[in-house]
């Protein structure tokens, strides 16, 4: 009996990418040919429609060739969940995660695959964005975010690393066993461990459309990371409360000595308003932060499925082994 070829699964979530469907399908075809020639691997493509409102799924189904499937989710669950849906469907020896907006190039994909195949001691190769287009303020905020979230951790979340990566099957199985409802993939990839290696790259320009990430989305995503993987925000607020209490104690001692030894009249309204506003702001901030953590806990405790599949459209899957995993 002939030995079956190793398989590379390509997982690509998309949302309203109808305009780039043809170009991305062409890129996948070229990548499939290159992978077959260089590594002797069969390629299976898994695209996840994260609740698109356009006809992207239909256009992809018309443009894709070879072995492929499109998993259509019942609504928009977010990219983090869409990646999980694709990994759940994957059964390849190696899995490549990339975006369908053509910002993840074929050359970097091949370099990452080669690094993984030629290095038995490496389990994950992830792309690390080295483009320096962000403003100084944004880059400093990003650096602060990673320094805070990585403090007091037994693992480090690498800076400027996203979902664009190549993993061995064992890593994928470990990741799919993590059924967090509110997912922060950067943290989950790092938490899972394994031997990982970074590969610097510069993203290509978008083929069409605009980024789905606004400033508010980035702020919410950062908060998601903190509430999922760090207790530092609570400690910072607690420390701020202690410093405010200490400042109040020092100020009270100063007032006492001024009244007792110098007869200085204590101004009432200004000092009272400063204390009320400061302590009230700290209390509201702490309550809001605790509410975020409580909401995460409540979301996890409801035990709802992470996502719901509307349907799965498949192309040529004659070379695929049986037993697809479901949602």
């Amino acid at each position: 009996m002939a030995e079956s070829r190793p398989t590379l699964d390509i997982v690509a979530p998309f949302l309203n990418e109808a305009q780039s469907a043809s170009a991305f399908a062409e890129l996948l075809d070229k990548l499939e040919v290159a992978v077959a020639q260089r590594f002797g691997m069969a390629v299976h493509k898994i695209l996840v429609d994260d609740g698109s409102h356009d006809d992207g799924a239909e256009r992809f189904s018309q443009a894709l060739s070879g072995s492929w499937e499109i998993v259509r989710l019942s609504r928009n669950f977010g990219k983090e969940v869409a990646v999980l849906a694709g990994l759940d469907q994957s059964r390849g020896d190696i899995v490549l995660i990339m975006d369908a907006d053509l910002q993840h190039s074929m050359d970097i994909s091949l370099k990452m695959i080669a690094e993984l195949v030629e290095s038995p001691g490496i389990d994950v190769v992830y792309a690390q964005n080295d483009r320096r287009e962000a403003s100084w303020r944004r880059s400093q905020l990003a650096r602060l975010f990673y320094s805070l979230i990585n403090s007091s951790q037994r693992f480090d979340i690498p800076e400027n690393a996203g979902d664009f990566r190549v993993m061995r099957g064992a890593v994928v199985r470990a990741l799919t066993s993590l059924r967090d409802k509110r997912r922060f993939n950067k943290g989950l990839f790092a938490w899972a461990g394994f031997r990982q290696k970074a590969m610097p790259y510069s993203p290509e320009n978008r083929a069409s459309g605009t980024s789905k990430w606004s400033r508010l989305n980035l702020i919410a995503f950062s908060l998601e990371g903190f509430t999922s993987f760090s207790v530092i925000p609570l400690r910072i607020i607690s420390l701020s409360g202690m410093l405010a209490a200490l400042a109040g104690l020092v100020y009270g001692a100063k007032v006492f000595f001024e009244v007792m030894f110098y007869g200085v009249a204590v101004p009432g309204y200004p000092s009272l308003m400063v204390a009320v506003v400061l302590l009230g702001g700290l209390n509201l901030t702490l309550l809001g932060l605790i509410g975020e953590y409580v909401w995460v806990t409540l979301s996890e405790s409801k035990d709802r499925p992470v996502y719901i599949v509307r349907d799965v459209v498949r192309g040529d899957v004659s070379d695929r082994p049986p037993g697809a995993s479901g949602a």
Side-chain angles (χ1 to χ4, degrees), residues 109-141:
S109 299
L110 289 173
K111 287 181 180 179
M112 291 196 298
I113 295 171
E115 185 67 33
L116 190 69
V117 171
E118 296 167 3
S119 305
I122 300 297
D123 301 307
V124 180
V125 179
Y126 61 88
Q128 194 166 35
N129 189 346
D130 64 353
R131 181 179 287 183
R132 299 288 185 260
E133 291 185 352
S135 64
W136 181 87
R137 182 178 62 179
R138 183 169 177 176
S139 62
Q140 293 303 311
L141 288 174

Side-chain angles (χ1 to χ4, degrees), residues 160-313:
N160 296 328
D163 298 324
F164 188 24
R165 60 187 59 219
V166 180
M167 306 173 289
R168 299 192 188 277
V171 181
V172 174
R173 290 189 291 273
L175 290 171
T176 55
S177 69
L178 306 176
R179 311 306 292 185
D180 297 40
K181 308 297 187 300
R182 300 177 67 83
R183 304 185 70 81
F184 182 69
N185 282 348
K186 292 174 182 283
L188 293 175
F189 290 144
W191 184 92
F194 294 95
R195 291 160 291 187
Q196 306 192 18
K197 183 175 181 178
M199 180 171 290
Y201 88 112
S202 296
E204 303 290 334
N205 294 325
R206 288 182 61 90
S208 60
T210 58
S211 174
K212 310 301 187 298
W213 292 95
S214 64
R215 291 185 179 180
L216 289 178
N217 291 141
L218 290 173
I219 293 174
F221 189 61
S222 300
L223 186 58
E224 192 80 56
F226 276 125
T227 54
S228 298
F229 286 94
S230 180
V231 73
I232 289 299
L234 289 176
R235 292 177 178 173
I236 291 176
I237 295 298
S238 298
L239 180 61
S240 301
M242 293 177 60
L243 292 176
L246 180 61
L249 183 63
V250 172
Y251 180 73
K254 172 180 176 296
V255 170
F256 176 79
F257 280 103
E258 286 180 345
V259 172
M260 293 297 297
F261 296 100
Y262 300 103
V264 177
V266 180
Y269 182 77
S271 58
L272 179 62
M273 286 304 300
V274 169
V276 169
V277 171
L278 177 63
L279 295 179
L282 284 174
N283 283 329
L284 290 176
T285 302
L286 180 58
L287 284 174
L289 192 57
I290 292 176
E292 291 287 343
Y293 281 92
V294 170
W295 172 243
V296 171
T297 304
L298 179 62
S299 299
E300 297 293 333
S301 65
K302 289 180 179 178
D303 199 28
R304 294 171 179 166
V306 184
Y307 61 89
I308 297 175
V309 174
R310 178 186 175 190
D311 56 31
V312 180
V313 181

Side-chain angles (χ1 to χ4, degrees), residues 80-110:
E80 309 289 291
V81 173
V83 169
L84 174 64
L87 295 179
D88 281 341
Q89 293 294 115
S90 169
R91 303 184 301 282
D93 302 285
I94 294 177
V95 177
L96 165 67
I97 304 175
M98 64 189 308
D99 289 347
D101 57 10
L102 299 175
Q103 289 193 286
H104 297 162
S105 70
M106 172 177 161
D107 291 339
I108 297 299
S109 299
L110 289 173

